[in-house]
Amino acid sequence: MMNITCPFCGKRNESEFIHGGPVGAVRPDPNAVSDEEWVEYLTVTPNPLGPVQEKWWHARGCGEWFSIWRDTRTHDIVEAPDGTT
Amino acid sequence: MSYDVTIERCGQKALFDLKGALDAVSQWAGDALPSLPIRPNSRTEEDGIELFHIGRDHWITRAPLAQEDAIEARLKPTDCPADISIVRVSDTMTFFCIVGPDAGQVMSIACPMDLHDSVFRTDAVSYTEVFGLKALVMRCQDGIEFAVEQSFADMVEDYLIRATA
C-alpha cells in the first residue's frame, strides 16, 4: 500500500486515489508525423524501468488531479528527474 | 467484540455546495455565511452555520434544515455569477455520529485516515473513505461525525451495527 501526497490534503492512503495512467507524450501534429509515429503516439504508453510520471485523481478525497513520479522498481514516489516537472 | 459507542443516524441538514474562487464566493455570499475557511480541510462555524473547506475552491455549508429556505434566499443560487457555483445538496448526504469512548476504535475499522486528536484536530474536516465509500469526516462532541451519499446510508448503518455488535 502506498501513501500518496495530495497537493491539497497532504499524505493519504492509496485507496483514496484512482490511477489516471502515465503522463503521455506531447500530442504531435498529425500532419507532420509519419503513420508509424502517429500510431506509436496513440498506442504506446510510457512504461520505463524506473521513474515514470503518472496522473492520479483524489477521487475519494478533494477531487484534485495531479501528477507524481513513481519508480516502477520500488513503488517509491520520487523526485522528478532533473529538468522535468 | 463490542464497543462502547452510540451510533446516531442524524436527520437531514441544509447543505449547499459552493465552488469558485475565494474572493468571488465571499463577495457573492456577503454576510449570509461565516467567513470562508482558507486552510485546506478545515471548518468555521458561526450562529449554527458551518463552512467546510473540502477541496480547491470548493466549500460545503451546513445549517439546520429550518434555515434552508432562508439561506437559499440569501445565496440566490440561480442568480449567481458564471464564475461560481452554488447548489443545494441537502438531500444528497446522510450524516452519522459515532460518539463514546470507543468512537476512535470503530472509525479505525471503517476509515484509513489517522483520526487521532493530534493529527485530526477539532476544526478538521475532510473527504476520505468510510467502509470504502467516499465520506465527509469531521469531529463532533465526544466522537466523530461523517456523511455518506444518501443512497448508501442504509448499507452504512448496517455496516456500523455489524462492526459494533
Side-chain angles (χ1 to χ4, degrees):
Chain A
M1 186 64 77
M2 291 196 300
N3 282 322
I4 298 174
T5 302
C6 167
F8 185 82
C9 300
K11 193 170 282 190
R12 293 295 179 87
N13 194 302
E14 177 193 351
S15 61
E16 292 185 13
F17 299 84
I18 290 177
H19 183 235
V23 175
V26 177
R27 185 178 191 271
D29 178 357
N31 297 314
V33 295
S34 67
D35 287 351
E36 289 75 20
E37 288 169 322
W38 181 245
V39 168
E40 179 163 324
Y41 160 71
L42 289 177
T43 61
V44 178
T45 55
N47 186 25
L49 183 65
V52 61
Q53 190 177 20
E54 296 174 329
K55 294 173 282 187
W56 287 81
W57 177 31
H58 199 184
R60 285 181 283 279
C62 64
E64 188 99 348
W65 274 96
F66 58 96
S67 71
I68 58 171
W69 284 86
R70 182 179 62 86
D71 193 315
T72 57
R73 295 164 298 192
T74 61
H75 280 309
D76 289 340
I77 295 169
V78 296
E79 294 291 319
D82 289 346
T84 59
T85 56
Chain B
M1 179 177 180
S2 62
Y3 296 95
D4 185 6
V5 291
T6 302
I7 298 165
E8 183 191 357
R9 182 170 168 166
C10 306
Q12 196 173 331
K13 304 279 178 65
L15 298 169
F16 290 86
D17 182 279
L18 315 166
K19 285 181 183 163
L22 176 74
D23 291 344
V25 175
S26 295
Q27 190 176 348
W28 181 258
D31 60 359
L33 300 175
S35 59
L36 293 173
I38 296 170
R39 189 160 43 83
N41 295 323
S42 66
R43 61 177 165 168
T44 54
E45 191 265 337
E46 195 178 301
D47 298 331
I49 301 177
E50 297 167 283
L51 267 164
F52 311 142
H53 190 194
I54 43 87
R56 198 176 298 278
D57 296 335
H58 191 187
W59 293 264
I60 285 179
T61 185
R62 180 174 73 164
L65 189 60
Q67 295 185 36
E68 185 181 52
D69 290 340
I71 293 173
E72 184 164 23
R74 296 183 74 181
L75 291 177
K76 300 188 288 288
T78 54
D79 298 332
C80 70
D83 59 343
I84 67 174
S85 159
I86 300 175
V87 181
R88 185 176 64 183
V89 293
S90 308
D91 55 356
T92 65
M93 297 167 86
T94 298
F95 286 83
F96 291 88
C97 284
I98 316 293
V99 297
D102 292 337
Q105 296 290 325
V106 173
M107 287 307 293
S108 71
I109 299 169
C111 176
M113 226 169 84
D114 187 349
L115 298 177
H116 286 98
D117 298 357
S118 57
V119 179
F120 196 72
R121 296 182 182 281
T122 309
D123 69 340
V125 56
S126 179
Y127 269 111
T128 179
E129 288 179 305
V130 169
F131 296 119
L133 300 168
K134 183 173 181 175
L136 186 66
V137 178
M138 69 198 85
R139 289 204 166 280
C140 64
Q141 183 83 32
D142 300 326
I144 297 285
E145 183 175 14
F146 67 86
V148 294
E149 193 175 303
Q150 176 267 335
S151 59
F152 293 125
D154 289 346
M155 184 179 78
V156 169
E157 187 174 9
D158 187 43
Y159 284 175
L160 286 168
I161 290 167
R162 288 165 187 262
T164 56

